[in-house]
Amino acid sequence: QKVHVLPQTVLYIADAETFSGHEECHEQKKARKRNSKETAIALEKLLPKRCQVLGLVTPGIVVTPMGSSSNHPQEIEEGEAGFALLFPKIDGVKIHTFHFSKDLKNRVFDESKFAEAGLKNNPDLRVVLLFGYNSWKSGATRFLHQIVNPLNEKSIILAGGQVESFTSLTSENNNAQPGDACGVVGLAFSGPQIQSATVLLDQDVADERTAEAAMQRLKAANIPERNTIGFMFACVGRGYRHYKTKRNMEADAFRKFFPNVPLFGFFGHGEIGCDRIVTGNFVLRECNDIKDDLLHGYTTVMTLIHLGSTK
């Protein structure tokens, strides 16, 4: 007897070439936008109507084929690639999407929107994956700071990066085209059984030895590896260019220390994250009053999210 598990939340990421094709002139640019929307609609038709969907377009992809531990994670910096993570209903875990777009009329962000999105006054909030889009637009960096800074709490893991664009956000009725403004989309993971940790590989991490040292720090967090997902958010300036033409360096280092954890992510235009190695009661081992710097360039953020034990 076949058992079908329906997804409740879906995160899919594809590189720009896969999702929209090339454009060489103004007229083709219009066609590209239509094609992107049509592709998103076609993908969503394959999913249940009540499913929350977040779709992102990025310059490059990090993927473990089929999410299987028998396959090595791959850093795909050129060529067509993409993946989809389908999250079913998980007892004790809530995963939801959110979207904050920049209000052109108001320079101050209304922080009451955090509570509406479940990002404030939520004692079970554990992990927030944040993705800024249209970062090249005027005011985009300032707006990203307005979102990230209030969420910069020691009890929450924050990770993510700047993407080219987002194509899907079906949890809300949003008539505005994603390309019309800049903003932040993301996934929030809530639940007392969730465990997470993250490390930042800065510009000084530039060879196999230092990359593996970062993975050792992540390993020391002692996050259970069963029912755990790894995320890698890297700068487009890293990869084989940063490691002197040696490809797949960071994904291989992750695989060495986490052979049974699938790794997913992307190469983007800026990274969100820091070193946050936490204990079982979700308190930092080293705690101080200085807030972490969460916005970076030419770095890689590696994150583990454990969704609890499976019965």
Side-chain angles (χ1 to χ4, degrees):
Q1 185 178 359
K2 292 183 179 180
V3 177
H4 297 276
V5 179
L6 294 177
Q8 285 202 333
T9 308
V10 174
L11 169 67
Y12 71 82
I13 303 179
D15 74 285
E17 189 175 329
T18 298
F19 212 82
S20 306
H22 297 288
E23 84 269 19
E24 295 176 359
C25 68
H26 182 67
E27 288 303 314
Q28 286 184 333
K29 213 169 195 178
K30 287 182 181 177
R32 168 180 171 152
K33 286 185 178 179
R34 283 198 300 272
N35 181 39
S36 176
K37 192 172 181 65
E38 287 169 6
T39 304
I41 291 170
L43 279 169
E44 288 165 22
K45 282 182 178 177
L46 301 174
L47 300 166
K49 286 187 177 180
R50 294 184 180 179
C51 186
Q52 295 186 100
V53 183
L54 175 57
L56 306 173
V57 177
T58 62
I61 298 294
V62 179
V63 62
T64 303
M66 304 303 293
S68 171
S69 60
S70 62
N71 292 320
H72 287 254
Q74 300 174 12
E75 299 176 19
I76 305 173
E77 299 178 62
E78 290 142 1
E80 298 184 7
F83 65 85
L85 294 178
L86 282 66
F87 296 96
K89 182 179 179 180
I90 304 170
D91 289 341
V93 174
K94 181 180 180 183
I95 305 172
H96 68 270
T97 59
F98 60 87
H99 177 208
F100 304 122
S101 58
K102 186 174 183 292
D103 186 348
L104 298 176
K105 300 175 184 176
N106 193 349
R107 286 176 58 86
V108 180
F109 180 74
D110 180 3
E111 291 193 12
S112 67
K113 292 180 180 178
F114 285 127
E116 293 172 17
L119 301 179
K120 282 288 182 182
N121 305 321
N122 178 3
D124 287 334
L125 183 63
R126 295 291 183 262
V127 184
V128 180
L129 299 183
L130 295 157
F131 310 108
Y133 63 89
N134 287 349
S135 59
W136 51 271
K137 292 221 169 189
S138 175
T141 301
R142 182 176 179 273
F143 182 74
L144 183 58
H145 275 283
Q146 289 181 321
I147 302 301
V148 168
N149 290 346
L151 298 175
N152 191 358
E153 300 176 3
K154 296 295 185 183
S155 61
I156 303 172
I157 295 292
L158 292 176
Q162 300 270 23
V163 301
E164 298 255 327
S165 61
F166 86 91
T167 58
S168 303
L169 195 73
T170 56
S171 63
E172 60 180 55
N173 293 319
N174 182 18
N175 295 322
Q177 290 293 324
D180 291 344
C182 60
V184 176
V185 294
L187 287 177
F189 295 77
S190 301
Q193 69 198 45
I194 295 174
Q195 298 181 49
S196 183
T198 181
V199 293
L200 179 73
L201 286 66
D202 62 21
Q203 294 182 53
D204 294 336
V205 177
D207 56 34
E208 189 173 13
R209 180 184 60 83
T210 50
E212 290 187 357
M215 301 309 153
Q216 281 182 309
R217 287 190 288 118
L218 191 59
K219 185 81 172 179
N222 292 320
I223 301 296
E225 294 183 26
R226 185 175 174 80
N227 206 21
T228 293
I229 306 170
F231 286 98
M232 172 178 164
F233 305 115
C235 178
V236 290
R238 289 183 74 87
Y240 72 89
R241 299 172 188 85
H242 182 69
Y243 287 102
K244 306 292 190 290
T245 72
K246 184 163 176 129
R247 294 179 179 269
N248 227 64
M249 177 79 81
E250 293 174 345
D252 285 344
F254 180 89
R255 164 82 179 197
K256 181 175 180 178
F257 289 92
F258 302 96
N260 298 309
V261 178
L263 183 67
F264 300 95
F266 59 76
F267 289 88
H269 301 295
E271 301 74 61
I272 302 169
C274 64
D275 277 20
R276 271 187 195 173
I277 308 297
V278 297
T279 60
N281 59 356
F282 226 76
V283 176
L284 271 183
R285 289 187 180 132
E286 295 180 11
C287 214
N288 55 48
D289 295 328
I290 302 172
K291 289 207 169 187
D292 294 309
D293 182 11
L294 293 174
L295 303 183
H296 310 277
Y298 300 102
T299 64
T300 298
V301 175
M302 286 284 190
T303 304
L304 295 174
I305 302 178
H306 172 66
L307 298 172
S309 60
T310 53
K311 296 179 181 179

